[in-house]
Amino acid sequence: MINSNTTIAHPVYYRIIERRGNGWAFKEGTPFINWFDEPILSQKDLFAAFNTSMKKVAIELFRINGGKQGYYIADIQDKKYYYCGSEWEDVKFKFRELGIGRPDSLET
């Protein structure tokens, strides 16, 4: 059974990245719907499709918060970057601030 506390649904052009030590961990996730039966792109190809790269995104993420440890969201379509916080729940909260997702009905 999927734990709603660890599952986040979001558009493909939003990427979740975690700052760990001196590196960046780009979270891949698992697609659960593919309306147009398109092939699933690799991370590298997905970033290229939006005219960017993981390296360029990492540079922008470092700029917004000095490389602080924790979770970040990159909107690779509109080239917007957000620091979420140090906990996974902070990512869910930031997505809700951006108008993506809704509170789980079981959380109330």
Side-chain angles (χ1 to χ4, degrees):
M1 184 172 164
I2 296 174
N3 182 341
S4 65
N5 291 327
T6 59
T7 302
I8 297 177
H10 58 84
V12 70
Y13 52 86
Y14 281 97
R15 308 313 296 165
I16 300 170
I17 301 106
E18 183 182 6
R19 176 72 169 171
R20 288 191 210 152
N22 291 329
W24 298 94
F26 288 76
K27 308 294 185 183
E28 289 198 48
T30 304
F32 70 94
I33 193 163
N34 188 347
W35 290 110
F36 303 108
D37 199 27
E38 294 290 326
I40 306 301
L41 298 175
S42 69
Q43 282 269 44
K44 182 180 176 183
D45 291 341
L46 179 65
F47 279 77
F50 287 97
N51 197 31
T52 193
S53 69
M54 290 187 281
K55 182 177 181 176
K56 288 178 185 177
V57 168
I59 290 168
E60 292 302 322
L61 295 177
F62 191 86
R63 285 181 183 162
I64 67 167
N65 210 18
K68 184 176 180 178
Q69 301 292 304
Y71 293 96
Y72 293 76
I73 295 172
D75 175 349
I76 61 175
Q77 175 177 284
D78 294 328
K79 311 297 187 273
K80 294 181 181 178
Y81 309 97
Y82 309 93
Y83 177 73
C84 302
S86 60
E87 303 297 323
W88 186 247
E89 284 296 315
D90 298 331
V91 177
K92 291 175 84 171
F93 182 74
K94 179 57 79 174
F95 271 124
R96 288 185 195 136
E97 279 184 355
L98 296 171
I100 298 166
R102 60 181 182 196
D104 187 338
S105 60
L106 298 176
E107 291 177 1
T108 56

